[in-house]
Amino acid sequence: MKNFTSVNDVSNLPALLDMAARYKKDPGMDRTLGQHKRIGLLFFNPSMRTRLSTQIAASNLGMEAIVFNVGQEGWALEFGEDTIMNGTTVEHIRDAAPVLGRYFDILGVRTFPSLKNKSEDYSEQAINQFIRYAGIPVISLESATLHPLQSLADLMTMQALLPAGHKPKVVLTWAPHVKPLPQCVANSFAQWVNAWGKAEFVIAHPKGLDLSKEFTNGAHMTTNQQEAMEGADFVYVKNWSSFQDYGVLGPNDASWMLTPEKMKTTNHGRVMHCLPVRRNVELSGKLLDGPSSLVTEQAANRVWAAQAVIAEILRKMV
Ligand code: CP
């Protein structure tokens, strides 16, 4: 693995999941793998889990991690190829990324989509330009369209709880929110569950909120949330804004909030969410506080997912 921006960068998904599980059992087993190496973690947007779990993962591998909140503290970066820079941007990615490539051995980058320009967001302009100009491996800490470290942790969480001798039913259900959110987590979860190939996979959403087929192909799509819940082993709750009417919140039907009542027809279904979550908007507080919730386990597994990915890249560098 040279870069890590999607499941397509993973040559052996079962082996990567196995490595993450091994780090969970023994976090220090490769404590010198990253010795004398440095990872830069660039955040254009806020983060708690991604930032801290990646720092801990790097530390477990003996690596130094330096966080740069570029969105708040850095120069405003320009990504346009031939832009005349007489506006608000101060530094071009072509000039900044090679410098970062000299400071660090690996670069982690978190960007969000504009939710205004679909083709620009779905071209992954920002992360691709870091890859192009930094000259070192780049790890996505969430990009305009995907959140692969989250998805790896999500698969790891489900894999540890797979019902014996039974193909699990995994449901990704849209949830209401107070503002339009990116499609990243949902796209990425769909892409990784499809690549995993171990589940019956259903995606439920209100009309007009279809995700890009690029990521959902293979899943059964429905606009009937309650029907989707029947027999579900895992229910992943997530809001996303419209892909078709790009970036629009839409009717935001509050009746799609996941409640204990809706879980009654599941197969003792476990509830998942990437966090942060809007309690009693996306998902009922009773479910989050109850025994079916996996949200803390998912967030805890972010450390092992990041550690497995960084280690895989480090092994390719030596
Ligand atoms: N799930 C996730 O990426 O959390 P943060 O935004 O806190 O990093």
Side-chain angles (χ1 to χ4, degrees):
M1 189 194 300
K2 172 85 196 310
N3 301 296
F4 180 77
T5 61
S6 83
V7 76
N8 297 328
D9 293 316
V10 180
S11 56
N12 188 335
L13 180 53
L16 190 66
L17 283 163
D18 184 52
M19 184 52 68
R22 287 174 62 197
Y23 282 132
K24 186 172 187 169
K25 279 203 185 103
D26 185 1
M29 72 181 187
D30 283 325
R31 66 175 66 83
T32 60
L33 185 65
Q35 222 171 23
H36 311 304
K37 295 227 167 18
R38 199 175 290 130
I39 184 168
L41 303 174
L42 267 59
F43 287 86
F44 286 81
N45 310 93
S47 165
M48 182 176 91
R49 281 143 289 267
T50 307
R51 172 179 167 157
L52 297 176
S53 62
T54 313
Q55 280 183 282
I56 295 165
S59 162
N60 287 346
L61 295 165
M63 223 181 166
E64 185 184 8
I66 295 181
V67 173
F68 181 31
N69 292 312
V70 59
Q72 291 165 16
E73 298 157 359
W75 300 114
L77 284 180
E78 176 61 50
F79 290 92
E81 278 298 344
D82 295 314
T83 312
I84 298 168
M85 287 177 56
N86 58 0
T88 53
T89 53
V90 177
E91 181 163 28
H92 201 280
I93 186 71
R94 288 182 84 126
D95 303 312
V99 176
L100 297 167
R102 299 289 277 273
Y103 292 163
F104 300 110
D105 301 281
I106 301 176
L107 203 54
V109 180
R110 167 175 276 202
T111 60
F112 277 175
S114 65
L115 292 183
K116 293 187 173 78
N117 184 331
K118 179 154 94 172
S119 61
E120 199 173 282
D121 287 346
Y122 272 71
S123 75
E124 291 286 10
Q125 185 191 46
I127 198 142
N128 283 332
Q129 293 210 41
F130 275 106
I131 291 172
R132 188 165 173 195
Y133 297 121
I136 55 172
V138 171
I139 295 176
S140 167
L141 303 174
E142 187 169 355
S143 66
T145 67
L146 294 169
H147 196 353
L149 284 175
Q150 179 67 53
S151 307
L152 177 56
D154 295 338
L155 286 200
M156 188 185 168
T157 307
M158 291 190 289
Q159 180 137 305
L161 296 167
L162 281 188
H166 157 74
K167 187 174 186 175
K169 180 173 179 182
V170 174
V171 176
L172 168 63
T173 178
W174 179 91
H177 206 278
V178 297
K179 62 175 189 177
L181 293 189
Q183 293 113 31
C184 314
V185 171
N187 283 343
S188 196
F189 184 74
Q191 188 188 41
W192 283 70
V193 172
N194 280 328
W196 192 40
K198 290 199 175 182
E200 177 195 347
F201 185 32
V202 178
I203 302 177
H205 59 77
K207 275 192 184 129
L209 283 161
D210 308 65
L211 294 163
S212 165
K213 286 191 174 52
E214 177 187 351
F215 306 113
T216 59
N217 259 341
H220 172 68
M221 314 295 295
T222 178
T223 55
N224 186 332
Q225 188 188 39
Q226 200 48 54
E227 190 181 278
M229 292 300 148
E230 281 167 26
D233 297 284
F234 299 98
V235 181
Y236 202 106
V237 185
K238 187 71 188 84
N239 170 270
W240 60 86
S241 58
S242 174
F243 174 68
Q244 288 79 19
D245 194 3
Y246 192 61
V248 168
L249 180 62
N252 204 33
D253 184 350
S255 73
W256 275 70
M257 180 177 89
L258 195 72
T259 59
E261 190 61 33
K262 290 182 182 174
M263 292 296 290
K264 281 185 176 159
T265 60
T266 66
N267 181 27
H268 308 287
R270 309 300 299 270
V271 176
M272 302 177 74
H273 190 287
C274 63
L275 302 180
V277 64
R278 295 275 183 154
R279 275 176 175 250
N280 302 315
V281 175
E282 293 176 80
L283 181 50
S284 116
K286 280 201 179 85
L287 280 177
L288 284 164
D289 298 333
S292 66
S293 173
L294 291 174
V295 298
T296 307
E297 187 64 10
Q298 287 171 261
N301 285 337
R302 292 291 306 273
V303 173
W304 322 118
Q307 194 167 341
V309 168
I310 297 170
E312 171 100 0
I313 289 173
L314 286 171
R315 283 194 192 93
K316 288 277 158 20
M317 287 167 72
V318 291

